[in-house]
Amino acid sequence: MINVNEDDQFYISEPFVSPNDTFKIAIVASDEMTDESVKRISPPIEPQVILEPIENKAPKVSIIGESRLMSSYGQTLLLKCSINGYPAPKTVWQDESGTLLTSKTAIKKIPYEFISVLEINNITTNNTFNCKASNDLGSDKKSVTVEVKTFFKVVDISKDKVVEYNKKGTLHCKVNASPPVNITWYQNGKEMKIDNDINFSPDNSTLIINKMKPKMAGKIICEIRNGMNRKIYNMKLSITGIDAPSVDKKLTQISVSKDASVNIPCR
């Protein structure tokens, strides 16, 4: 079954041999929520009868709908074209690189009218898709240009931060972006890895400090990257609550008898 226009409930089935007399079509469906079956029967259908002589025609292609579309990243699209010609044209869809794409073609009205549908799953890049039809009398094509919407909005980037020794802290590198981004954290030029002292949020947008240690202080870099953008943000992480050692230098000389024991203090 080809979905030509869901709003109008216009579908085209695979070809079948119809009776010569008036007939009806029964449609049986089931509700996914209740499993209830629903049956509908069409009004009487008269078989199509060709009374006029069939005329050979070179195919003419037209796009059903807009020839330029704006799509969200990862969206599924249905592109449709109609073809008029005889003998039945061979119809294919290709992207702008010339790659043949899987599509479905069905008769709309014998003997001249046909519909071809291309389903694109998970579209991620701008592209142009060509519907091409050909028979022994000629060929024709029309194209649909699809542009993928992209955006990159900074939500929360941390500034320089001071965290107390053995305390918790967080650094943020949050953006709202399409396509989705990958976030990587670096400390003093080396990629940071999860250990007992640090962790990351599921999307890597937050660096979680479980216990601040002196080794963690330094230059922190957050790299945000997708197929469209790459951003680098720098921040300085400092530690407090620790003091460098100092030596008491007041005692500089000790007098002691030869061969006697002595204790030399270092404070």
Side-chain angles (χ1 to χ4, degrees):
M1 185 79 69
I2 294 178
N3 175 6
V4 178
N5 191 325
E6 188 171 348
D7 293 336
D8 294 340
Q9 297 185 350
F10 180 24
Y11 301 86
I12 295 178
S13 72
E14 299 296 329
F16 74 101
V17 178
S18 64
N20 293 326
D21 298 324
T22 301
F23 62 96
K24 297 181 179 180
I25 294 178
I27 302 172
V28 180
S30 61
D31 190 312
E32 293 181 351
M33 302 296 293
T34 63
D35 288 332
E36 180 184 358
S37 294
V38 179
K39 185 176 181 180
R40 296 290 185 268
I41 298 177
S42 73
I45 300 173
E46 295 286 346
Q48 294 187 41
V49 179
I50 303 173
L51 300 177
E52 299 178 357
I54 297 176
E55 178 186 354
N56 291 339
K57 295 182 179 181
K60 292 293 182 183
V61 177
S62 60
I63 298 298
I64 299 175
E66 300 294 329
S67 60
R68 182 173 293 273
L69 300 175
M70 182 70 73
S71 169
S72 298
Y73 182 88
Q75 185 178 342
T76 296
L77 293 178
L78 285 178
L79 305 183
K80 293 160 258 189
C81 68
S82 64
I83 305 101
N84 189 290
Y86 189 85
K90 177 183 178 182
T91 304
V92 297
W93 284 87
Q94 292 177 301
D95 63 16
E96 61 188 20
S97 68
T99 301
L100 288 174
L101 307 171
T102 302
S103 59
K104 292 183 178 180
T105 301
I107 300 171
K108 182 180 179 182
K109 185 177 180 181
I110 59 174
Y112 302 113
E113 296 181 27
F114 305 85
I115 292 266
S116 186
V117 178
L118 171 67
E119 182 175 1
I120 308 168
N121 294 310
N122 190 33
I123 187 163
T124 58
T125 58
N126 299 342
N127 213 325
T128 297
F129 301 92
N130 297 299
C131 176
K132 298 182 177 182
S134 61
N135 61 16
D136 292 339
L137 300 176
S139 63
D140 191 23
K141 74 173 183 178
K142 293 292 186 298
S143 63
V144 179
T145 299
V146 179
E147 184 177 346
V148 178
K149 290 186 287 188
T150 63
F151 54 88
F152 191 96
K153 182 180 180 181
V154 173
V155 177
D156 185 8
I157 304 295
S158 290
K159 305 296 184 181
D160 295 347
K161 191 159 192 176
V162 178
V163 181
E164 188 177 349
Y165 174 72
N166 259 355
K167 298 296 184 179
K168 292 185 177 181
T170 55
L171 293 173
H172 302 292
C173 222
K174 296 182 179 181
V175 299
N176 186 10
S178 179
V181 296
N182 293 315
I183 301 175
T184 308
W185 294 85
Y186 298 89
Q187 181 209 23
N188 298 326
K190 185 176 180 180
E191 183 177 346
M192 302 180 75
K193 302 292 186 181
I194 293 176
D195 60 24
N196 292 331
D197 297 320
I198 68 167
N199 204 346
F200 300 103
S201 62
D203 62 357
N204 266 28
S205 66
T206 300
L207 168 62
I208 303 168
I209 302 167
N210 299 319
K211 289 186 177 181
M212 183 64 184
K213 303 295 184 185
K215 66 178 183 179
M216 298 164 59
K219 181 180 180 182
I220 304 296
I221 291 177
C222 162
E223 179 192 45
I224 305 175
R225 181 197 295 267
N226 61 16
M228 305 292 179
N229 289 281
R230 177 177 180 264
K231 299 290 185 181
I232 298 288
Y233 298 96
N234 296 281
M235 52 200 81
K236 183 180 179 182
L237 180 61
S238 304
I239 187 170
T240 188
I242 59 173
D243 295 314
S246 61
V247 177
D248 185 354
K249 300 178 181 178
K250 293 178 181 179
L251 184 63
T252 60
Q253 184 175 344
I254 298 175
S255 298
V256 64
S257 300
K258 184 178 180 180
D259 294 329
S261 298
V262 66
N263 290 325
I264 304 175
C266 178
R267 296 181 180 178

